[in-house]
Amino acid sequence: MKQLSLSRFPLAHFPMLTAMYQDCDGKGKMEIAEREYQREEIGGYLMIEALHVENFRSFKSLKLTELKRVNIIVGKNASGKTVLLEAIKLGLDATPGSFPWLNSMRGMVFMIPPNLTAEQFKEQFVDFFHEFNPEIPISIQIDDSTKKRASVRIYFDPKRATTTQPGIGFQPAPSLSIPTTIIPLAFDRTDFQGQKNVLLASINPQGQLNMEPGRPMGISSGFFSNAYFGVPQENATWLSKLSVEKRSGEVIEALQRHFPFVRDVTSETTVQGLGTVYADLPHLPRKIPLSLVSGGISRLFTLMLAIVTFREGVVLIDEVENGIFHDQWELIWKTLADLAEHHNTQLFVSTHSNECLKAALPTIREKPHDFALLRVRRENGQSVIEPFRGDQLESALDKNGEIRD
Amino acid sequence: MSFSGFTKTRFMLCEGDDDKGVLEALISARHLPDFQVCHSAECNPRNVGGRSGFSGAIKGMEALSGFRDLRALLIVTDNDALQTSFAEVQEAISVNGHTPPSNPHAVGNMLGKAISILMIPSDTVAGDLETLCLPAIHAQWPNAQQCVTAFLQCSGADAWTKRSSISKARARSAAVGFHEPDPYKGIGHLFRQGVLSALNPCFDSVATFLQNFDGMCGI
């Protein structure tokens, strides 16, 4: 099994998570799913056209069809907007490492202590199952625009149970000196190419957490939580890659349309040897890290970079309005939609802000068929989604109406 | 525009603010089933009023807050042209992809919601809101009929070819000449304020329609 580098995982943003992983195996070599985003040339523009989710978090059953290039998600707090984004991300990655990663995006620590029992192991994952019931598998199916399907079923598989051997690999507590049988969590996957495999989250016989890595299902994706303001090193990596490919200019120009005072943006290496995105501002004698210029600008730049980086993939943005002054919103919708169109990137974008939504109207009006509205709400404790076409969204916004719920 | 979403389970779309005032007063005075009443310019992004604003008003309504809880819609329109008025409203519904009612006593379908059309003064009599309201105006100001008739003869308005304009001129002239507190107020406002009474028998047929609306729509 491939040992994966933690450097691929944006853990610098989550120091507690980093600490937890290092604690788990003592060497910082925890096997986690590889999150290297891959742009795969599968042939033509692929887009998620339909989504079927069962038993994931607040969704008991969700079927969406006719998804578009830009899908705007609205709904009240705790309606399930973020869960929808998570479901898409999980469906596109479908690896055991997806679970701790998704929790980390919510600021939660995924803690696997040593000496854990089978129940404690299972308890780490029950939050992902609808109504905390791991007896019913999580199922996610994604149909792309060429009618290919990727699917994953996630369930505890007693047939693959393993027995830990206390005393090997860690110091057992006296009460846990007997072997513990762990029922692994299975990710039963079929990717867009029809290839099937099963990845497991389990505890190995030495008592260490084992998250089998796997490749994404065939459509690359980036997820940006509401609190995600970009990881400088990750942004620097993306920017360098785009620069080498002579594709960074479009992103920088887009940023300059919003913030003309930014003379240039470059990927530089700090004295600590870390990559960081720097901005050149005319009134300063030296470049300054972009994240020090403004958190909001840095976030916007991250989103722009992501749309270009994940071309022919999917970018999931939670609360797009965060950190951005309202006078930029209209242009932001246009920028994001134009970049998405140019790079065949599909967007799922949530927002709480009516003002931000209304600012989308001119962009939606240009190409209403590129947009869909997904209104999430709670009904009998479950999340449900009302989908609307772009022209319906346009008309409702045109009325200056309330569409959030 | 002041319509941002649905707040009640019944929604009434009418042609203008006078219609809205009269219908709201009627519902209130007679304790009829409650409707959220809006006129077309309120719901139309281009502020197009009257019957020609219905299509734009209906467009995109389904994406607005509260549509889910809506049970029925009623469109109220003047029957100023017996041959075409009803058909024009049908067209405003169907052009948005919904199924209009086949006749004024039938119920259509708008994404699972009942939708009906109320013709005023009635589906068999040509006229408009003012035609419907004139008896109530004359009941409040008994001299109005004689005075207004003389005035319209004098001005020549009684010879206008557009009949709906004549009835509007009658109602408007009466309000101007008899409502001393504010001659500028339209009849919708006067009904809202109770200056004119929605209890007048001229509204009985409309009230009956609204009273039976739920049963007609099966809600």
Side-chain angles (χ1 to χ4, degrees):
Chain A
M1 187 171 298
K2 188 178 176 184
Q3 292 289 327
L4 298 168
S5 165
L6 283 176
S7 64
R8 296 187 186 282
F9 202 92
L11 289 173
H13 200 56
F14 307 102
M16 291 179 69
L17 193 62
T18 308
M20 178 275 290
Y21 276 113
Q22 288 175 342
D23 285 349
C24 276
D25 65 2
K27 299 175 183 175
K29 290 183 179 176
M30 174 69 70
E31 288 184 356
I32 59 173
E34 185 175 21
R35 305 209 64 82
E36 181 180 7
Y37 301 111
Q38 300 169 342
R39 288 182 287 110
E40 298 187 2
E41 297 296 333
I42 302 174
Y45 171 44
L46 289 181
M47 187 177 76
I48 298 176
E49 198 165 86
L51 174 70
H52 184 185
V53 178
E54 299 278 347
N55 201 43
F56 178 64
R57 294 218 205 252
S58 56
F59 286 104
K60 180 167 181 55
S61 180
L62 167 68
K63 287 183 180 176
L64 291 175
T65 58
E66 298 184 36
L67 295 167
K68 299 297 180 185
R69 186 191 305 280
V70 182
N71 303 277
I72 299 177
I73 304 163
V74 296
K76 295 177 180 174
N77 286 114
S79 58
K81 298 186 298 298
T82 304
V83 177
L84 172 62
L85 298 175
E86 290 178 325
I88 296 167
K89 183 63 178 162
L90 179 59
L92 291 175
D93 287 355
T95 64
S98 300
F99 277 178
W101 192 85
L102 289 175
N103 270 356
S104 74
M105 282 289 154
R106 288 180 179 258
M108 295 170 62
V109 173
F110 189 82
M111 184 65 73
I112 298 288
N115 310 336
L116 81 175
T117 64
E119 277 308 306
Q120 287 172 327
F121 175 76
K122 185 179 274 191
E123 186 65 24
Q124 302 302 317
F125 302 100
V126 294
D127 289 352
F128 293 95
F129 290 82
H130 184 64
E131 294 181 340
F132 313 106
N133 179 8
E135 302 306 316
I136 304 175
I138 295 169
S139 171
I140 301 176
Q141 291 179 0
I142 296 175
D143 294 343
D144 73 18
S145 47
T146 65
K147 308 303 177 192
K148 287 183 178 174
R149 172 173 291 178
S151 64
V152 60
R153 279 181 87 242
I154 304 168
Y155 54 94
F156 286 95
D157 187 356
K159 293 176 186 169
R160 300 172 193 268
T162 58
T163 302
T164 62
Q165 298 293 327
I168 301 174
F170 64 94
Q171 189 64 41
S175 62
L176 291 172
S177 57
I178 57 173
T180 298
T181 299
I182 299 290
I183 299 174
L185 185 65
F187 287 63
D188 193 344
R189 302 155 30 112
T190 304
D191 70 17
F192 285 109
Q193 303 307 305
Q195 295 183 343
K196 298 174 183 291
N197 66 341
V198 177
L199 303 175
L200 298 180
S202 61
I203 302 295
N204 67 20
Q206 287 71 42
Q208 296 171 320
L209 178 63
N210 180 25
M211 297 276 207
E212 290 184 346
R215 294 164 62 86
M217 302 288 258
I219 295 179
S220 63
S221 62
F223 179 103
F224 302 91
S225 73
N226 57 358
Y228 191 91
F229 276 69
V231 177
Q233 293 76 37
E234 191 171 55
N235 284 357
T237 302
W238 290 348
L239 182 59
S240 294
K241 190 170 170 50
L242 292 180
S243 179
V244 169
E245 297 169 358
K246 295 187 174 181
R247 296 196 295 135
S248 60
E250 183 182 8
V251 183
I252 295 168
E253 286 167 14
L255 185 72
Q256 288 169 330
R257 277 197 295 277
H258 289 271
F259 306 103
F261 58 87
V262 178
R263 186 183 285 162
D264 196 10
V265 180
T266 53
S267 175
E268 309 287 352
T269 303
T270 64
V271 290
Q272 294 90 356
L274 298 173
T276 299
V277 173
Y278 276 77
D280 181 359
L281 304 183
H283 60 282
L284 294 180
R286 53 175 288 175
K287 290 182 179 178
I288 178 174
L290 185 62
S291 53
L292 293 184
V293 176
S294 157
I297 294 175
S298 180
R299 185 172 199 254
L300 178 60
F301 189 67
T302 301
L303 300 180
M304 292 172 177
L305 272 178
I307 292 171
V308 179
T309 300
F310 296 115
R311 64 179 178 179
E312 302 197 357
V314 174
V315 170
L316 308 148
I317 304 170
D318 203 6
E319 298 181 18
V320 67
E321 72 273 18
N322 282 2
I324 309 292
F325 195 64
H326 66 88
D327 68 347
Q328 293 291 328
W329 287 341
E330 185 174 324
L331 185 55
I332 282 174
W333 283 111
K334 172 135 182 74
T335 299
L336 298 185
D338 284 352
L339 284 173
E341 180 180 13
H342 190 197
H343 296 279
N344 284 333
T345 308
Q346 188 177 22
L347 304 182
F348 290 82
V349 181
S350 82
T351 180
H352 280 292
S353 165
N354 210 26
E355 203 177 355
C356 183
L357 272 173
K358 291 182 193 309
L361 180 58
T363 304
I364 295 169
R365 193 175 276 142
E366 283 181 22
K367 289 186 179 174
H369 299 301
D370 270 0
F371 285 80
L373 171 70
L374 305 173
R375 184 159 64 210
V376 191
R377 70 173 199 278
R378 286 275 186 160
E379 189 173 280
N380 300 322
Q382 299 171 14
S383 294
V384 295
I385 293 183
E386 290 176 280
F388 298 95
R389 299 186 311 270
D391 62 317
Q392 294 173 308
L393 169 61
E394 177 194 0
S395 297
L397 288 175
D398 217 6
K399 294 180 193 301
N400 204 25
E402 173 60 78
I403 63 171
R404 292 170 297 177
D405 204 4
Chain B
M1 287 193 302
S2 62
F3 172 68
S4 62
F6 297 93
T7 58
K8 294 175 182 172
T9 57
R10 301 180 199 86
F11 182 80
M12 187 186 294
L13 179 63
C14 56
E15 291 193 15
D17 193 54
D18 278 339
D19 303 74
K20 180 177 176 176
V22 172
L23 291 162
E24 284 181 338
L26 180 65
I27 290 166
S28 174
R30 299 194 182 214
H31 307 291
L32 297 170
D34 201 12
F35 282 79
Q36 178 186 4
V37 184
C38 289
H39 59 79
S40 52
E42 286 181 307
C43 310
N44 189 302
R46 310 285 171 259
N47 292 321
V48 180
R51 192 154 58 234
S52 51
F54 283 158
S55 176
I58 293 168
K59 189 178 180 186
M61 271 186 168
E62 61 272 24
L64 291 176
S65 171
F67 184 82
R68 173 177 70 250
D69 298 322
L70 190 69
R71 300 178 72 190
L73 297 92
L74 175 63
I75 300 181
V76 182
T77 192
D78 292 341
N79 202 6
D80 42 12
L82 277 175
Q83 304 301 316
T84 59
S85 297
F86 183 78
E88 286 175 14
V89 183
Q90 284 181 307
E91 173 70 12
I93 296 169
S94 62
V95 78
N96 282 293
H98 311 304
T99 306
S102 56
N103 64 68
H105 305 284
V107 177
N109 187 309
M110 180 175 171
L111 299 171
K113 318 294 184 187
I115 184 165
S116 182
I117 301 170
L118 170 62
M119 308 300 294
I120 54 175
S122 81
D123 58 295
T124 55
V125 177
D128 48 28
L129 176 78
E130 288 76 11
T131 313
L132 180 71
C133 294
L134 278 174
I137 294 170
H138 296 155
Q140 174 63 22
W141 300 307
N143 294 334
Q145 188 165 12
Q146 184 181 354
C147 295
V148 167
T149 298
F151 173 58
L152 296 192
Q153 282 174 348
C154 179
S155 72
D158 64 342
W160 289 345
T161 54
K162 191 176 179 183
R163 295 199 60 80
S164 61
S165 292
I166 298 175
S167 55
K168 284 179 170 53
R170 285 188 178 280
R172 192 80 176 147
S173 300
V176 169
F178 288 88
H179 185 53
E180 183 180 358
D182 191 345
Y184 276 110
K185 294 297 184 190
I187 61 169
H189 176 83
L190 299 177
F191 276 98
R192 281 194 188 102
Q193 296 299 309
V195 175
L196 299 173
S197 174
L199 296 174
N200 189 284
C202 65
F203 297 112
D204 285 356
S205 63
V206 174
T208 300
F209 181 96
L210 298 179
Q211 189 68 58
N212 297 332
F213 180 73
D214 285 4
M216 183 178 85
C217 294
I219 61 173

